[in-house]
Amino acid sequence: MKLHEYQAKGVFADAGIPTPASQLAETADEAVAAADDIGYPVAIKAQVQVGGRGKAGGIELVENADEAREAAERIIGMDLKGLHVDSVLVEEAVDFVNELYIGVTMDRNEGRPVAMVSTKGGVDIEEVAAENPDAIAREHVDPAFGLHPYQARRAVYDAGVDHDVAGDVASVLTTLYDLWDDQDATETEINPLMVTSDDEVIAADAVMNIDEDALFRHPDLAEMEDETAGDELEAKANEYGFDYVRLSGNVGIIGNGAGLVMTTLDLVDYYGGEPANFLDIGGGAKAERVANALDMVFSDENVDSVVFNIFGGITRGDEVAKGINAALEQFDEIPKPVVVRLAGTNAEEGMEILNTDLVEVQGTLEDAVQRAVARAEEVDQ
Amino acid sequence: MSILVDDETRVVVQGITGGEGKFHAEQMIEYGTNVVAGAVPGKGGQEVAGVPVYDTVAGAAREEDADAAVVFVPPAFAADALFEALDSPVDLVVAITEGIPQQDMASVYKRLGETDTALVGPNCPGVITPGEAKLGILPGNIFSEGDVGLVSRSGTLTYQVVDSLTQRGIGQTTAVGIGGDPIIGTDFVDALERFEADTDTEAVVMCGEIGGEDEEEAARYISQYMDTPVAGFIAGRTAPPGKRMGHAGAIVGSSGAGTAESKINALNDAGVPVGDTPEEVADHIEDFL
C-alpha cells in the first residue's frame, strides 16, 4: 500500500525529519489561500501515486497568486499517467545547492533490509542503480539490531556527502530506517533530500510503501489507504479482495494461483490473443467468490471473451463450477463467451455440475486458451 | 530416493486444531505421511486427526520424535510458530501460511541462518515425495513415483506441470513448492543442490516467475555445478512493469529488473531449455530421459 506524498511527509515530519511548509488543497481557491499563507515561491504538486510527476506536468513552481491559481486549475482534475488528480500539495519552494537520495528497502536476495545513500538525487534512482551501481552506498541491516549509527555514517561518507551536512544526513537516514521498521514499510525514501546553502537538509519528497500483510498491526496507516488511487476496476477488485491487474487486451482471464494465472496470460499472448487482465481468485475459493470474479471481468468493457482456468489443490472444482453456474444463470444472455478448464481436486464433480449451455468446456489449458482467443476474435469482428 | 522428506519423516502439524490444519493433517495421513503429532498452545492433551496434540513443538519433538513441522498458523502468529519450530528443534519446517509480514520473515530468515534446519516456504504448497509422504496442501492424486525432480515458486503451476508429466507416464522423485514471497527459506539453488546429490533424480523441472534474481542465480549454479539436466518454465512474460502479479515477489521493477526475458536468457545460457508452454517443458523432460 502506497501512501500519498502528503501522507508520507506527515509521517516523516512527526518523526522529526525536516520537511518544507506545505498544505493540501482540493480546489484552486484552497491552493491560492495555501500559497498566500506559505509565501511565494511555492511548488504545486499533484497528489497521485506515480513516479515522474514532474516530467508529466504534475508539478509546477509558481511565483504569485495568479500563477498559483492557473497551475492549480490545470493540475487538479488532470489525468496523469492514467490517474485522476484529486488534490495538490502546495509547498514552500526550497532554495537548494545539492540534491541527495536516501532510502531503505528490503534486499530480497539477502533476506534483510538495506539502507542506501547517493549524491545523485533528484533523478530516477532505479536508473542510477542500473547504470552506475557504485553511485549508491549501501548498508545491510541486521533486523535484530536495526541500523547502527555507525552504519548510517559509513553509508553517508562512502557516498561522498559533504562533511558539513554528513551528520544531519546520517541522522535522517537513521530515522528513515526506524520508520521503516516501526511502520512495517517495504520502502521509505526521500528523493530528493535537499541541501540548502545554509547546510540544512530538507525532505522535498517522501515515499512510504507499507506491507499490506502487516496492516493488521497499523490501524492508523490502514485508514490512510486511498482506494480510489488506482484504476476504477482495480479499486473494485480491492473491495472483493482479489489480486487483479488491468491490462490492455480483450481476453479476460480468471484462475487460481498467481503462477498459473500468469501462465494463462502468457499462453493467451502465445496463441495470438491479448490478455485483458490478471485475476487470481486465490486458494480455496467458494462459489460466491467465483461469481464475484466473473462479475469483475464482465464489467470491463474491453473484454470480448473469458477463460476460466482452475487447477484445484486447496480449491475445489465443484465449488468453482457452482460459482460459475450461479453467476451466469442470472443473465438472460451471457454478456461474453466463457471458456472453462477445470483440473485437480474435485474436477470431475465440477464438470458434471457445470452448465454447459452457458459455458464451453475444454479439457486442457492449451485448448481452453486457444478457444478463448478464437472467441474473442469472433466478437471483435 | 527423495529429497527433504520420505516415509520415515515424523511430522508435527502446527495449527492442527484450525480448519485448514485439521483438514490437511487428515489429507496428509490419508496419503501415507507419518504424522505423529499436532502442536497448538493451550490444546495439549487433545487428539485431532487421530494424533496427540501438544502445547509446544518441543513437547511433540521430545515425546513423539517429530523431526519435521508443517505450519498452518495464521499470518499474525506465523513468525512466532516458525521461531518455535527452529528452536525445538526439527530438521525441516514447511510453512504453508500466506501473508506473513516481510519484516517478520526477515527476522526468521536471520535465525534460520544460525540453525541446521531447512525451511520450505512460506506461502507455498509444500513438499511431496510421491508414494511416501506429503507435507502441505498439494493434491496427492496427480503425482506419481518416478525419477524427475521439480522445484517451483508457484503452487498451481506445479500442479499443471506435474499433471503433464504424470499423464505421459513420467513420475517424480520429489516436488518442492518454494513459494512466491520475497523472503523464503529453501530457494532454487538449495533445491537444485539436493536434486543434484540425489542419485535417483534423472532430470529436474524448475518453474520460475518474474521478480527478484533467484532464477538468474539458479542458472549460474546449474552451469557451474549440475550434471543432471534441467528444463525450465518462467511465468509472467506478459506482465507489465510496476504491477504486482499476485505473489508478493512477482513484480517487474520499474527499471525492468526481474523480467521473464532476463530469466529465460540466463537459463538458456546455462544450457537449460525453457518451454513456451507447460507441455513444452514436459517435452524437454521426455527428451532428457
Side-chain angles (χ1 to χ4, degrees):
Chain A
M1 168 194 152
K2 289 179 180 168
L3 299 191
H4 281 296
E5 177 194 1
Y6 76 89
Q7 293 170 323
K9 262 195 182 131
V11 174
F12 287 10
D14 287 347
I17 294 175
T19 53
S22 66
Q23 291 177 32
L24 191 69
E26 290 179 352
T27 64
D29 284 345
E30 281 178 24
V32 173
D36 286 346
D37 196 22
I38 291 166
Y40 297 92
V42 294
I44 310 276
K45 305 165 87 176
Q47 295 300 288
V48 284
Q49 293 166 353
V50 62
R53 285 174 300 167
K55 278 184 198 165
I59 298 179
E60 194 168 322
L61 198 64
V62 299
E63 301 285 347
N64 56 51
D66 288 343
E67 284 181 18
R69 178 170 301 280
E70 224 171 282
E73 279 174 352
R74 184 180 61 79
I75 295 174
I76 296 171
M78 81 182 282
D79 183 85
L80 207 154
K81 295 189 174 178
L83 299 176
H84 188 262
V85 180
D86 293 324
S87 61
V88 290
L89 189 64
V90 181
E91 185 172 84
E92 170 194 2
V94 178
D95 203 9
F96 62 93
V97 292
N98 265 318
E99 292 182 298
L100 309 175
Y101 164 90
I102 66 172
V104 178
T105 190
M106 185 69 82
D107 182 339
R108 51 186 290 173
N109 292 330
E110 296 280 332
R112 52 193 176 141
V114 60
M116 296 171 286
V117 180
S118 177
T119 53
K120 304 240 182 288
V123 295
D124 186 346
I125 199 67
E126 290 200 318
E127 270 174 34
V128 175
E131 284 162 21
N132 186 8
D134 292 342
I136 303 170
R138 294 176 173 81
E139 285 285 334
H140 282 97
V141 184
D142 182 332
F145 298 106
L147 181 71
H148 293 294
Y150 83 86
Q151 288 184 291
R153 293 195 301 270
R154 188 161 67 188
V156 167
Y157 289 127
D158 282 354
V161 173
D162 282 347
H163 273 80
D164 294 338
V165 294
D168 286 346
V169 176
S171 151
V172 174
L173 183 60
T174 310
T175 307
L176 208 56
Y177 177 82
D178 291 342
L179 280 174
W180 184 91
D181 189 32
D182 295 343
Q183 309 294 335
D184 273 297
T186 53
E187 194 169 22
T188 52
E189 183 180 282
I190 301 172
N191 185 26
L193 178 67
M194 286 178 172
V195 180
T196 69
S197 52
D198 302 335
D199 288 338
E200 283 181 69
V201 295
I202 297 177
D205 192 15
V207 170
M208 191 162 187
N209 296 341
I210 308 294
D211 183 353
E212 292 188 15
D213 288 335
L215 279 180
F216 66 88
R217 289 199 280 245
H218 305 283
D220 51 328
L221 292 173
E223 271 179 27
M224 288 188 189
E225 178 153 29
D226 179 359
E227 290 185 350
T228 64
D231 179 279
E232 200 178 304
L233 276 173
E234 290 181 5
K236 187 172 179 180
N238 217 11
E239 273 172 40
Y240 280 145
F242 289 128
D243 280 319
Y244 174 88
V245 178
R246 189 178 189 170
L247 302 164
S248 57
N250 62 346
V251 180
I253 294 160
I254 303 171
N256 66 324
L260 189 64
V261 181
M262 275 192 275
T263 301
T264 314
L265 260 64
D266 295 348
L267 286 181
V268 165
D269 178 71
Y270 180 75
Y271 289 117
E274 276 187 80
N277 67 276
F278 168 103
L279 197 166
D280 178 5
I281 59 170
K286 295 280 190 275
E288 189 192 350
R289 198 167 165 74
V290 174
N292 289 344
L294 265 171
D295 177 46
M296 277 288 317
V297 177
F298 282 160
S299 52
D300 180 349
E301 56 189 28
N302 293 327
V303 168
D304 289 330
S305 74
V306 181
V307 58
F308 225 109
N309 181 28
I310 301 293
F311 206 118
I314 201 166
T315 304
R316 290 167 38 187
D318 51 340
E319 277 292 331
V320 172
K322 277 183 215 160
I324 294 174
N325 288 348
L328 295 181
E329 276 158 8
Q330 58 187 329
F331 294 102
D332 292 330
E333 195 180 345
I334 310 297
K336 341 247 171 170
V338 179
V339 182
V340 178
R341 182 267 184 149
L342 277 182
T345 308
N346 291 9
E348 281 171 25
E349 292 89 330
M351 294 291 214
E352 279 166 26
I353 294 171
L354 260 187
N355 185 342
T356 48
D357 290 342
L358 305 178
V359 300
E360 200 175 315
V361 177
Q362 295 287 338
T364 71
L365 170 57
E366 283 80 2
D367 289 348
V369 167
Q370 290 184 67
R371 190 68 196 136
V373 169
R375 293 301 300 269
E377 275 171 10
E378 284 166 22
V379 172
D380 218 17
Q381 276 163 8
Chain B
M1 238 177 75
S2 61
I3 69 165
L4 292 161
V5 298
D6 56 29
D7 53 12
E8 308 272 295
T9 307
R10 297 176 64 82
V11 182
V12 53
V13 178
Q14 290 178 259
I16 198 169
T17 51
E20 296 285 319
K22 179 169 182 287
F23 177 76
H24 289 290
E26 285 165 354
Q27 295 282 309
M28 285 187 267
I29 291 166
E30 194 180 310
Y31 193 75
T33 312
N34 197 8
V35 176
V36 296
V40 181
K43 304 285 169 85
Q46 296 185 9
E47 197 183 277
V48 173
V51 297
V53 179
Y54 293 84
D55 287 314
T56 64
V57 180
R62 188 176 57 237
E63 302 297 327
E64 306 291 343
D65 270 340
D67 55 11
V70 187
V71 178
F72 289 98
V73 173
F77 313 103
D80 191 45
L82 293 176
F83 278 118
E84 185 185 5
L86 293 174
D87 198 29
S88 296
V90 289
D91 299 331
L92 171 70
V93 184
V94 178
I96 307 301
T97 309
E98 177 180 356
I100 303 179
Q102 276 189 32
Q103 296 192 8
D104 292 7
M105 271 316 296
S107 298
V108 170
Y109 190 80
K110 156 91 167 134
R111 173 64 56 84
L112 180 70
E114 297 159 357
T115 71
D116 294 325
T117 301
L119 169 67
V120 174
N123 189 13
C124 79
V127 184
I128 185 167
T129 291
E132 296 198 36
K134 72 160 182 166
L135 278 64
I137 60 176
L138 312 105
N141 61 325
I142 61 169
F143 293 85
S144 58
E145 293 169 52
D147 44 21
V148 173
L150 187 139
V151 54
S152 171
R153 268 170 76 181
S154 154
T156 43
L157 184 53
T158 305
Y159 310 160
Q160 177 71 43
V161 173
V162 164
D163 196 45
S164 301
L165 293 173
T166 295
Q167 298 212 355
R168 294 170 188 225
I170 301 171
Q172 305 89 40
T173 46
T174 296
V176 192
I178 58 176
D181 276 5
I183 301 177
I184 54 172
T186 297
D187 60 13
F188 284 123
V189 171
D190 299 326
L192 291 170
E193 250 178 77
R194 289 177 190 267
F195 281 129
E196 177 67 12
D198 175 32
T199 49
D200 288 344
T201 298
E202 301 290 337
V204 179
V205 177
M206 172 184 152
C207 295
E209 65 189 24
I210 53 164
E213 292 162 29
D214 285 11
E215 290 81 357
E216 286 85 340
E217 211 175 297
R220 282 191 287 276
Y221 174 80
I222 292 166
S223 67
Q224 280 183 36
Y225 300 108
M226 281 189 81
D227 292 324
T228 313
V230 181
F233 184 81
I234 301 292
R237 294 171 188 228
T238 48
K243 293 283 188 183
R244 207 185 98 173
M245 307 298 268
H247 285 164
I251 183 167
V252 176
S254 48
S255 65
T259 60
E261 194 189 359
S262 141
K263 293 167 193 297
I264 292 167
N265 288 341
L267 287 167
N268 283 336
D269 289 348
V272 176
V274 178
D276 284 331
T277 69
E279 286 297 328
E280 268 187 40
V281 183
D283 291 343
H284 290 305
I285 291 293
E286 220 161 35
D287 291 343
F288 289 146
L289 298 175

